[in-house]
Amino acid sequence: MHLATLAQHTLSRGATPAAAYALIARLGHPPLPVARAVCLALDIPLAETTRRLAECYDALLADHHAASETDTGELLEALGVFDIPKSLTDTELAVVEHLLTAINAHGSLRPGHRHGLQRWFTTGNLTTAYLSLTATHPLTGNPARYWETLTTAGELLATTLPSDRRITYALTHCRTRATHP
């Protein structure tokens, strides 16, 4: 059976991507083809799959250790290798651009926070990304630009999700911070 077909079957039976990876890898298949098969079964485009796997190949996939399949699958999932990309609308793309500008203006965002934000951008979870940034206060960088950019991003999000009170509250917070950094 082709690995991608096996991965699709495993996922269709309710397995998480990490569990599907572990199950197929335990059958004796090399880590890289198994990870690629799970990505392709999730409809992640081949070019994106190749990029993601290249980023973690040396650390996770180059050396196969027996009995590490579950750990490797969970790490691949935690790193976002199995995140299904969402096609974003023009408004959502504009929100992402503003959030990226805010990240640059922040000046001291931690790598783990950046990683989480990138995953939310990939999966289209822009509300969570926005709320996460509005709860973070820049200690360096350009705080005025940070809050102004988050205000603009919040205004765009509010037009797409007008009934989400979390966005309304966060937008008010950003406006206040933009006028009184």
Side-chain angles (χ1 to χ4, degrees), residues 20-35:
Y21 171 88
L23 178 80
I24 298 167
R26 272 191 223 102
L27 296 174
H29 299 286
L32 181 61
V34 173

Side-chain angles (χ1 to χ4, degrees), residues 120-142:
W120 291 326
F121 296 159
T122 298
T123 59
N125 196 346
L126 303 185
T127 298
T128 302
Y130 175 71
L131 295 174
S132 173
L133 285 170
T134 63
T136 304
H137 299 276
L139 302 175
T140 61
N142 186 340

Side-chain angles (χ1 to χ4, degrees), residues 147-166:
W147 294 112
E148 289 166 8
T149 308
L150 285 180
T151 298
T152 304
E155 289 167 348
L156 286 170
L157 274 175
T159 64
T160 61
L161 301 165
S163 63
D164 192 330
R165 294 203 180 274
R166 299 171 305 160

